[in-house]
Amino acid sequence: AQKITQTQPGMFVQEKEAVTLDCTYDTSDQSYGLFWYKQPSSGEMIFLIYQGSYDEQNATEGRYSLNFQKARKSANLVISASQLGDSAMYFCAMRPAYSGAGSYQLTFGKGTKLSVIP
Amino acid sequence: DSGVTQTPKHLITATGQRVTLRCSPRSGDLSVYWYQQSLDQGLQFLIQYYNGEERAKGNILERFSAQQFPDLHSELNLSSLELGDSALYFCASSVVPTGNTGELFFGEGSRLTVL
């Protein structure tokens, strides 16, 4: 079974500063995928960034980067130059290995609520 | 806009009642996933359908059922509703995963309030 742990229920960051949201995971799969989603107060789930377990480089998408440390089983999200619109819940999630006709539902962590202070 | 459509967006009903939530996946996506998001349980996987067939079950109560129709839209039926069923219900869809990240595309959710 896969498990995602996000230990920070809430975080504050000053506007224009960088912030790191922690995520650790547990799986026995050798191949897997890691995701970060953003959920603003309006409720929709917005995909931010993806990291494959065999990807050698850390993923980056604009101001978002994923600090992937496979040996430590961590996949922290780094948001640079925080903006007021970054205030939201952030969820780390994991997909299992691909295996024929398997199911690839994502397992989510409990989330971290990020508040950006002007 | 993810391309996944969920209706209704909001629903208020009474205990003991039955409701149906509807989901239209992105064009071309064969897989539909249902998730329940509540304050105390977070995002919980309920059930997945792939091209009309049930593929995986998660923490879905026996009072809940789902199906995926030939046109690939899906419905989640919730019956004998209890106060604790109040939650945000998400539908998500994905492409066949081969060569793909497996990203799920989420609808905006259906917020169910049971009074």
Side-chain angles (χ1 to χ4, degrees):
Chain A
Q2 301 190 318
K3 186 178 179 183
I4 296 282
T5 302
Q6 295 180 254
T7 57
Q8 307 153 314
M11 290 277 288
F12 289 89
V13 64
Q14 205 77 36
E15 194 178 6
K16 300 180 185 177
E17 297 290 312
V19 63
T20 298
L21 306 183
D22 294 341
C23 172
T24 58
Y25 60 91
D26 190 23
T27 181
S28 55
D29 289 344
Q30 294 301 308
S31 173
Y32 48 87
L34 295 158
F35 302 79
W36 279 90
Y37 281 81
K38 172 184 178 182
Q39 186 179 36
S41 58
S42 52
E44 72 269 31
M45 295 287 286
I46 303 167
F47 165 72
L48 295 178
I49 196 167
Y50 166 82
Q51 179 85 41
S53 59
Y54 289 120
D55 294 342
E56 293 185 353
Q57 304 238 352
N58 286 340
T60 60
E61 288 287 346
R63 294 186 299 110
Y64 304 108
S65 60
L66 200 152
N67 185 359
F68 180 47
Q69 298 186 44
K70 194 170 182 177
R72 297 180 61 185
K73 292 190 174 179
S74 74
N76 299 338
L77 177 70
V78 180
I79 305 175
S80 62
S82 295
Q83 302 172 356
L84 295 178
D86 294 334
S87 294
M89 283 290 290
Y90 288 81
F91 293 94
C92 181
M94 164 179 270
R95 166 187 56 73
Y98 292 137
S99 58
S103 176
Y104 308 111
Q105 76 268 19
L106 300 186
T107 299
F108 286 84
K110 296 285 190 187
T112 296
K113 184 174 182 179
L114 178 66
S115 300
V116 180
I117 305 166
Chain B
D1 183 359
S2 68
V4 178
T5 304
Q6 287 188 249
T7 57
K9 285 187 169 43
H10 300 276
L11 192 55
I12 301 174
T13 189
T15 55
Q17 296 297 305
R18 172 190 170 94
V19 299
T20 297
L21 309 180
R22 194 179 191 277
C23 169
S24 294
R26 292 190 322 157
S27 176
D29 286 357
L30 300 179
S31 277
V32 169
Y33 302 78
W34 286 96
Y35 282 83
Q36 178 194 56
Q37 185 180 31
S38 58
L39 282 175
D40 55 343
Q41 293 293 324
L43 271 156
Q44 297 285 313
F45 168 68
L46 296 179
I47 197 164
Q48 180 211 352
Y49 280 82
Y50 177 80
N51 203 19
E53 295 186 359
E54 182 184 303
R55 180 61 61 89
K57 259 186 177 180
N59 301 317
I60 188 166
L61 299 172
E62 286 191 10
R63 299 183 286 109
F64 296 179
S65 65
Q67 55 184 328
Q68 186 179 28
F69 295 86
D71 67 352
L72 300 179
H73 91 270
S74 178
E75 293 182 355
L76 179 67
N77 301 296
L78 315 175
S79 61
S80 303
L81 285 168
E82 302 175 358
L83 296 178
D85 297 328
S86 295
L88 185 56
Y89 291 85
F90 282 109
C91 168
S93 72
S94 71
V95 300
V96 175
T98 304
N100 188 277
T101 66
E103 171 194 349
L104 296 189
F105 296 87
F106 282 82
E108 294 185 347
S110 293
R111 186 169 296 280
L112 173 66
T113 302
V114 182
L115 301 176

